[in-house]
Amino acid sequence: MYDPEELAAIREAKESWEAGTYGETVDRFGEREETFTTDTGGQEVDPLYTPDDAETDYREDLGYPGEEPYTRGVYSTMHRGRLWTMRQYAGMGTAAETNERFQYLIDEGSSGLSMAFDLPTQMGYDSDAAMAEGEVGRSGVAIDTLDDFETVFDGIPLDEVSTSMTINAPAAVLLAMYVAMGDEQGVPREELRGTIQNDIMKEYIARNLYIYPPKQSMRLITDIFEFCASETPNFNTISISGYHIREAGSTAAQEIAFTLGDGIEYVEAALDAGLDVDEFAPQLSFFFNAHNNIFEEAAKFRAARRMWAQIMEERFGAENPKSKQLKFHTQTGGSTLTAQQIENNVVRVSYQALAAVLGGTQSLHTNGKDEALALPTEKSVRTALRTQQILAHESGAADTIDPLAGSYYVESLTDGIEEEAFEIIEEVDRRDGMLEAVESGWVQRQIQDVAFERQREIEEGERIIVGVNEFEVDEDPEMDLEEVDPDQEQNQRERLNEVKAERDDGAVDDALACLREAAQGTENAMPHVVDAVKAYATVQEISDVLRDEFGEYKPGR
């Protein structure tokens, strides 16, 4: 730290420079913009940063990796000891196609699997439901029963891979299938590794793929917390997601404020259910977006770590260091991809991935260049994975821990994002928490206002999107896009009918009856969901039991 006299001298010298050398040049030649801001407009960017702009107490505000306040990383060696888990999102319509893609990714060097589900599965419907017509296998893999999971993970040992599943409302069912698959393979439950998203709050905020009302959804989430704490301690029970909040249009500060606000809501729900914070909190994880402004994004990740450590200690009295460590997965920004000149997306994704690594991510998914148009082809997936591998092994970005620390600019951004995010969280507190703020529509309005302004800037040319509103080309490029087999929906329905014909219906009925009884009371529902999936009950049969007992969420009612 600089003493006050030194800072005053630096400030005086900067003011002299601004009025002299810099100011005279600006007067003569001007600058590219009248005002420079960060990508989301949250902070004005000064022409120059000095120690006066980043009054950081090293030991209190930064510290060392693996030690509070975790600004510089949650692990002592970070990427010098172990590289981030390299994931590629995959869910290819049918279980067999998804297995083929998973095997391909493993062969190409992917160190983790990331599973996408189609819309019917995400909404708790089977492939033969009227609601599913036209959507089976479109946005990911169709999962109806454990039989589909057995195909997806055929030849993939669950004790050697980490699997992330992007599933929320029916997360309990898909987690139960994964546990059942581990049991089938003879993998001890404590060795299962991975993550379920299980973040229903962001569904109410940004995606609308919910089933049950908030209170009952929270009940299922806390049941999962309790079950996994004792059964699968190495499996992350929730991935509290800012990704979709940012995709909906939020600023960087809003992304982490609303995400950590959701985290606070989940911790409070678990405490209200009688769980001990240091028992379940180490299994919480987060999921953030990475956009194009490298410095703002890296600062965002650093600020989020510091904030979560403070929140867990001051609000909840957490004592276990692991309860205070914000571990996160990053996905590059889907909303930044363009259909025009899709090769440009490779460059965007590369910069976004660099920001995530500089910010200390534990896991990373890089988008394929064609994901603005369709599920990625094998070729574009390979390029996206190679982007991570080049970053890891050729760029030097992973060779030292938190390489941007000490930058006057980055430390100023980190402090500014933290300050703005805490102000938003304080406003959420005044509105009685995230649940109330979401149900009133306040959170959604904050994001919509930013998204509207961003779109206005693009349409009026104030914000340049390369290839879209500037540097355009006339020709229509040739694109090799992944195509969906038009027969897959009927094939999936026939597969489901075969499973139903061969299973023991009595065992299914008994398991569903036990689940219903647990849902009516306070018993943890998860063991009964596991029993039901092992009997080959379908996703919808299990979800319908819970629909009957919990009801369905209707916004505004």
Side-chain angles (χ1 to χ4, degrees):
M1 287 184 65
Y2 291 80
D3 64 39
E5 290 186 6
E6 287 177 300
L7 287 176
I10 290 169
R11 188 180 311 121
E12 183 178 346
K14 180 181 177 182
E15 290 171 354
S16 176
W17 170 81
E18 287 176 333
T21 305
Y22 172 73
E24 291 169 3
T25 305
V26 171
D27 288 342
R28 288 181 63 192
F29 302 108
E31 291 187 315
R32 290 184 293 110
E33 304 286 347
E34 183 176 338
T35 302
F36 290 81
T37 64
T38 54
D39 182 55
T40 51
Q43 291 180 253
E44 187 170 330
V45 178
D46 294 339
L48 184 74
Y49 286 80
T50 72
D52 189 43
D53 298 294
E55 298 183 52
T56 301
D57 182 312
Y58 185 85
R59 285 177 294 183
E60 182 177 337
D61 298 328
L62 299 182
Y64 293 90
E67 297 179 5
E68 291 187 49
Y70 303 111
T71 310
R72 305 202 66 183
V74 292
Y75 300 122
S76 59
T77 57
M78 289 301 290
H79 299 143
R80 284 171 63 95
R82 176 182 173 182
L83 291 171
W84 61 93
T85 301
M86 299 182 192
R87 300 188 189 278
Q88 293 304 127
Y89 205 35
M92 305 307 298
T94 68
E97 289 174 307
T98 300
N99 175 265
E100 183 179 342
R101 177 61 63 88
F102 278 175
Q103 299 280 10
Y104 171 80
L105 289 169
I106 291 170
D107 290 343
E108 292 295 329
S110 182
S111 53
L113 303 176
S114 187
M115 195 168 179
F117 300 91
D118 70 358
L119 284 175
T121 305
Q122 292 185 60
M123 294 298 292
Y125 290 109
D126 292 339
S127 297
D128 60 357
M131 291 284 288
E133 188 171 349
E135 291 293 343
V136 175
R138 291 271 169 188
S139 59
V141 62
I143 299 293
D144 293 316
T145 69
L146 181 60
D147 179 75
D148 292 315
F149 247 55
E150 290 166 341
T151 300
V152 167
F153 292 100
D154 182 35
I156 300 175
L158 299 192
D159 55 347
E160 296 180 13
V161 299
S162 168
T163 304
S164 174
M165 294 183 283
T166 305
I167 195 71
N168 295 286
V173 185
L174 280 301
L175 171 62
M177 288 185 180
Y178 200 77
V179 171
M181 272 300 307
D183 290 349
E184 280 190 19
Q185 291 187 6
V187 178
R189 291 183 177 182
E190 60 269 20
E191 292 185 16
L192 293 175
R193 293 179 297 114
T195 304
I196 45 169
Q197 195 160 96
N198 196 28
D199 178 8
I200 202 63
M201 286 294 296
K202 72 98 169 48
E203 297 296 340
Y204 301 130
I205 295 171
R207 286 183 81 233
N208 300 324
L209 296 181
Y210 41 68
I211 300 176
Y212 318 110
K215 181 179 179 181
Q216 288 75 15
S217 293
M218 288 294 191
R219 149 79 188 278
L220 284 176
I221 288 170
T222 55
D223 278 0
I224 289 170
F225 287 178
E226 183 180 43
F227 174 84
C228 289
S230 62
E231 296 286 328
T232 60
N234 289 314
F235 205 93
N236 294 317
T237 55
I238 193 169
S239 180
I240 305 165
S241 177
Y243 182 85
H244 303 91
I245 291 170
R246 188 67 173 277
E247 289 292 280
S250 79
T251 67
Q254 285 175 333
E255 178 188 351
I256 62 171
F258 293 143
T259 305
L260 299 187
D262 286 346
I264 291 168
E265 197 77 34
Y266 292 128
V267 172
E268 288 177 345
L271 294 176
D272 289 344
L275 305 185
D276 179 86
V277 67
D278 286 322
E279 290 294 321
F280 68 85
Q283 290 176 275
L284 305 180
S285 66
F286 291 80
F287 175 20
F288 291 120
N289 210 315
H291 275 217
N292 291 327
N293 189 310
I294 294 171
F295 302 107
E296 182 179 35
E297 294 303 292
K300 175 188 75 178
F301 299 133
R302 299 171 80 248
R305 273 195 298 269
R306 190 160 70 200
M307 291 175 68
W308 188 244
Q310 180 179 335
I311 287 167
M312 291 304 293
E313 182 170 314
E314 295 183 359
R315 281 194 182 230
F316 301 115
E319 297 179 357
N320 184 347
K322 292 183 178 180
S323 299
K324 308 175 194 179
Q325 294 171 348
L326 183 145
K327 293 162 287 188
F328 66 98
H329 169 71
T330 309
Q331 181 174 341
T332 56
S335 63
T336 69
L337 303 181
T338 64
Q340 302 91 332
Q341 300 179 40
I342 63 171
E343 291 80 7
N344 295 343
N345 293 331
V346 176
V347 182
R348 293 185 177 100
V349 167
S350 298
Y351 287 136
Q352 293 163 8
L354 175 61
V357 170
L358 294 176
T361 192
Q362 277 64 67
S363 172
L364 178 60
H365 162 71
T366 35
N367 290 328
K369 68 179 182 181
D370 46 4
E371 287 190 50
L373 299 167
L375 291 171
T377 63
E378 280 195 356
K379 184 177 180 180
S380 64
V381 162
R382 185 174 65 237
T383 300
L385 179 58
R386 293 289 182 262
T387 299
Q388 296 199 47
Q389 292 163 339
I390 291 169
L391 187 56
H393 300 292
E394 298 184 26
S395 74
D399 293 349
T400 191
I401 302 167
D402 193 22
L404 296 181
S407 158
Y408 308 133
Y409 179 40
V410 171
E411 296 300 356
S412 177
L413 282 176
T414 302
D415 293 344
I417 290 172
E418 178 182 16
E419 181 180 359
E420 185 179 351
F422 266 134
E423 288 175 357
I424 295 170
I425 289 174
E426 288 169 4
E427 178 61 30
V428 169
D429 287 341
R430 286 191 287 271
R431 294 174 179 273
D432 296 324
M434 277 296 288
L435 200 54
E436 290 295 328
V438 169
E439 291 199 296
S440 71
W442 180 80
V443 171
Q444 295 90 318
R445 287 194 296 274
Q446 306 310 300
I447 298 170
Q448 288 161 6
D449 287 347
V450 175
F452 178 84
E453 179 63 17
R454 169 70 65 86
Q455 186 60 34
R456 184 199 64 76
E457 291 171 349
I458 294 171
E459 291 177 0
E460 296 184 7
E462 296 175 15
R463 180 182 293 269
I464 292 175
I465 307 298
V466 174
V468 175
N469 63 356
E470 192 66 80
F471 313 111
E472 300 163 81
V473 293
D474 293 331
E475 70 266 17
D476 293 325
E478 294 183 10
M479 291 180 286
D480 178 23
L481 299 179
E482 190 76 27
E483 296 183 357
V484 176
D485 182 352
D487 295 328
Q488 73 178 14
E489 185 164 323
Q490 183 58 35
N491 294 340
Q492 181 67 19
R493 288 174 174 172
E494 290 173 0
R495 178 188 181 94
L496 173 58
N497 289 333
E498 290 173 4
V499 172
K500 286 182 175 180
E502 294 172 1
R503 70 186 184 179
D504 182 341
D505 288 339
V508 172
D509 292 342
D510 289 343
L512 294 177
C514 290
L515 173 61
R516 186 180 300 277
E517 185 176 349
Q520 291 170 346
T522 59
E523 183 184 0
N524 192 307
M526 273 304 300
H528 301 293
V529 179
V530 174
D531 290 342
V533 301
K534 285 186 173 183
Y536 293 88
T538 71
V539 168
Q540 182 168 344
E541 287 170 339
I542 296 169
S543 299
D544 281 351
V545 168
L546 299 177
R547 281 187 180 93
D548 290 344
E549 300 304 326
F550 293 163
E552 295 186 73
Y553 179 60
K554 305 293 183 184
R557 295 185 184 177

